Amino acid sequence: MGVQKTISSLIEEKRDLFINLSDRVWETPELYFAERESSEALASALENEGFDVERKVAGLDTGFVASFGSGKPVIAVLGEFDALAGLSQKKGLTEHAPVNDGGNGHGCGHNLLGTGSLAAAVAVKEYMQETGLKGTIRYYGCPAEENGSGKAYMVREGLFEDVDLAFSWHPMTKPSIWHVSTLANYSVRFRFKGKSAHAAAAPHLGRSALDAVELMNVGVNYLREHMIPEARIHYAITDTGGHSPNVVQSHAEVLYLIRAPRKKAVQELTERVHNIAEGAALMTGTSVEAVFEGAASDLVPNTVLAETMYKHLAAIGIPAYDEQDYRFAEGIQATLSEEDIEADLAGLDRETAKMMKGRAIADLLPPFAEEVALSGSTDVGDVSWVVPTMQCLTACFALGTPLHTWQVVSQGAMPIAHKGMLQAAKVIACTAVDAMENPAIIERATAEWKERLDGEAYLSLIPEDKTPPRQWDRT
Ligand SMILES: [Zn+2]
């Protein structure tokens, strides 16, 4: 029996356990660094499956590492479980209907991500027990992917030092291998302090922190012309200083997210943004404090692992969808724009895009894709700097569904998503077992990884004295 068949049946045997676990995390959407129940649900499930679990790793209240086996090789599977604010949504609906207004929701499908990776780790463990395969399989419970970069703290703490390869996945709209690089990022809050005054009676006595935020943003918008085109800078005003126009705002805050292809470029840009903040403070007679929020490294691709993982994705194949799945996906597509669906097809080769057009579910496997550079970021990047890493994607949502929307939340606890999750678990488990059985895969992947880094050592963008926020700060 081939490895795919063995792994598939190991995962199918526990299908209900994995689906229930994912749905449970979906029902308790928790924000970054505050994933108490989600993290505990996954950690105790791994304990029940015979893993040794270490909780609160790297100073992260909701971070944990679960381990089975001993010695080399050491294979890591990364799981995430944080939700997004403001995306509360009832499941299975094709219209926007929050469970509670303003509540959280799993708008990036991390309920599936965390559980799918867990299912992979469990399957590898059982395969090891059945076949006597030696080595260590480890599940990394990684908090705060959406904000805060939990993995960057875990890497800084050296938690991946003895790991040979790392794998993960992400719920998406099409099955593929994430053969990509991403941008490094840095996020920082600029807190301006001024002096309040009656805006009509004594404006000359006031110093407006909101003015400073506005001037800073204008300054950064002028900076855009003079930075590398691959870089990205975005901001959100997180404190406007109040709701009364007749009070000069004595405090205001803007949160910046700065991205570029390499960490060095991010550092340089961040310094220029800092200077603009100082300039805005000087212009307005206010003071400014920069508060570090999070940072992630660029993702180092690995073609050896991408090809190996694709081989297993092709062998596992596309899940069987039924009439209900198609009807639900069509209902979701009816809520999307033509542009949403076009944009989703745009990343494909022309032949596959033609075949995919008009389908509600991406129920065919695109050919292996060459490496591309993406303009997003992920804290998996930090892991990829210390260990060769690869991720796969599977179709969990109707074709065209953009991430971070109510449509993702609505679909995240439905059969299409469950099928995509189990498919990803099988692909990760097969690739992990393949590497454990064939040391040449690890050797070749490591050689490529070293060549790509070209002697550059991992540098954490997190300030040395910065520890992760405690979970109660973020509820
Ligand atoms: Zn995500």
Side-chain angles (χ1 to χ4, degrees):
M1 192 153 57
V3 61
Q4 287 97 6
K5 222 165 168 196
T6 313
I7 289 290
S8 288
S9 60
L10 287 172
I11 287 177
E12 289 300 331
E13 269 168 37
K14 299 199 164 173
R15 182 186 183 89
D16 291 346
L17 172 86
F18 301 137
I19 289 175
N20 289 339
L21 192 54
S22 172
D23 287 358
R24 219 171 111 198
V25 176
W26 185 94
E27 277 158 22
T28 47
E30 298 165 303
L31 297 186
Y32 61 115
F33 293 125
E35 312 94 334
R36 285 172 219 174
E37 289 183 39
S38 309
S39 158
E40 188 46 43
L42 296 166
S44 53
L46 282 156
E47 252 166 5
N48 290 340
E49 294 298 321
F51 282 73
D52 289 326
V53 178
E54 194 190 340
R55 291 173 171 79
K56 296 182 191 287
V57 294
L60 295 154
D61 286 326
T62 51
F64 67 93
V65 177
S67 205
F68 177 84
S70 63
K72 289 280 198 178
V74 182
I75 307 292
V77 188
L78 315 174
E80 299 163 9
F81 33 78
D82 55 337
L84 289 156
L87 282 180
S88 172
Q89 166 67 32
K90 291 178 184 158
K91 74 170 177 181
L93 297 186
T94 53
E95 61 184 8
H96 186 202
V99 178
N100 53 320
D101 279 323
N104 306 330
H106 270 289
C108 207
H110 291 184
N111 58 306
L112 301 160
L113 202 172
T115 312
S117 291
L118 176 145
V122 170
V124 173
K125 181 217 83 175
E126 295 196 345
Y127 186 94
M128 289 165 71
Q129 284 175 317
E130 272 188 19
T131 61
L133 180 64
K134 294 268 175 284
T136 307
I137 180 75
R138 241 183 242 158
Y139 178 93
Y140 284 73
C142 309
E145 192 280 333
E146 296 293 356
N147 289 287
S149 301
K151 292 181 201 72
Y153 292 98
M154 298 170 106
V155 173
R156 185 177 71 167
E157 200 70 13
L159 294 184
F160 291 88
E161 252 162 29
D162 61 345
V163 176
D164 292 289
L165 299 177
F167 297 105
S168 193
W169 73 291
H170 204 291
M172 212 54 91
T173 55
K174 304 182 292 286
S176 68
I177 302 301
W178 226 38
H179 191 206
V180 300
S181 62
T182 61
L183 301 182
N185 77 14
Y186 190 91
S187 71
V188 52
R189 292 175 189 274
F190 291 96
R191 278 187 193 145
F192 289 91
K193 280 210 165 54
K195 190 166 169 274
S196 64
H198 194 296
H204 57 289
L205 297 181
R207 297 291 179 269
S208 170
L210 182 59
D211 284 358
V213 164
E214 291 188 76
L215 284 166
M216 175 180 178
N217 294 344
V218 170
V220 171
N221 289 335
Y222 272 87
L223 168 72
R224 291 179 198 283
E225 192 186 346
H226 308 288
M227 59 186 207
I228 52 170
E230 298 84 4
R232 297 283 185 276
I233 303 183
H234 347 276
Y235 58 78
I237 298 177
T238 39
D239 174 15
T240 58
H243 302 283
S244 306
N246 59 351
V247 177
V248 173
Q249 291 82 0
S250 63
H251 54 88
E253 184 190 86
V254 58
L255 174 59
Y256 266 83
L257 187 47
I258 299 152
R259 309 183 204 244
R262 290 294 260 225
K263 277 177 285 194
K264 207 167 169 322
V266 169
Q267 281 177 314
E268 283 165 11
L269 259 185
T270 302
E271 205 180 306
R272 291 169 76 189
V273 172
H274 266 274
N275 288 341
I276 291 170
E278 297 282 353
L282 200 61
M283 281 191 279
T284 51
T286 58
S287 64
V288 63
E289 182 197 3
V291 182
F292 171 81
E293 176 79 5
S297 300
D298 50 292
L299 184 71
V300 182
N302 194 293
T303 306
V304 169
L305 291 183
E307 285 172 352
T308 309
M309 210 172 196
Y310 184 84
K311 187 183 80 186
H312 291 291
L313 176 61
I316 292 294
I318 304 296
Y321 300 106
D322 60 27
E323 212 25 59
Q324 267 181 329
D325 294 335
Y326 284 105
R327 229 168 301 143
F328 176 53
E330 283 160 14
I332 289 288
Q333 274 194 333
T335 70
L336 306 174
S337 68
E338 269 309 307
E339 287 87 358
D340 287 332
I341 298 169
E342 286 297 320
D344 205 5
L345 295 172
L348 293 164
D349 64 286
R350 201 185 299 180
E351 200 53 39
T352 313
K354 227 162 80 186
M355 284 195 285
M356 209 81 102
K357 206 177 160 92
R359 293 183 195 230
I361 305 173
D363 51 5
L364 61 93
L365 179 66
F368 182 74
E370 292 309 312
E371 183 183 325
V372 286
L374 297 183
S375 46
S377 307
T378 167
D379 64 356
V380 177
D382 287 80
V383 179
S384 77
W385 268 82
V386 294
V387 47
T389 303
M390 191 44 61
Q391 306 169 80
C392 66
L393 309 173
T394 61
C396 291
F397 316 120
L399 196 64
T401 309
L403 293 181
H404 295 201
T405 56
W406 67 260
Q407 286 93 337
V408 165
V409 188
S410 178
Q411 297 174 80
M414 295 295 285
I416 303 170
H418 297 147
K419 289 172 187 177
M421 173 181 83
L422 297 178
Q423 181 193 11
K426 292 171 189 172
V427 174
I428 293 175
C430 287
T431 315
V433 163
D434 195 1
M436 290 169 91
E437 287 177 336
N438 300 289
I441 295 175
I442 300 177
E443 281 162 28
R444 284 172 47 232
T446 307
E448 178 188 339
W449 173 76
K450 282 187 178 157
E451 205 178 298
R452 284 181 185 266
L453 295 189
D454 195 23
E456 197 176 330
Y458 172 71
L459 163 79
S460 177
L461 286 175
I462 305 171
E464 257 171 54
D465 57 347
K466 177 74 189 173
T467 52
R470 308 310 307 252
Q471 56 172 260
W472 44 87
D473 293 342
R474 300 239 64 96
T475 40

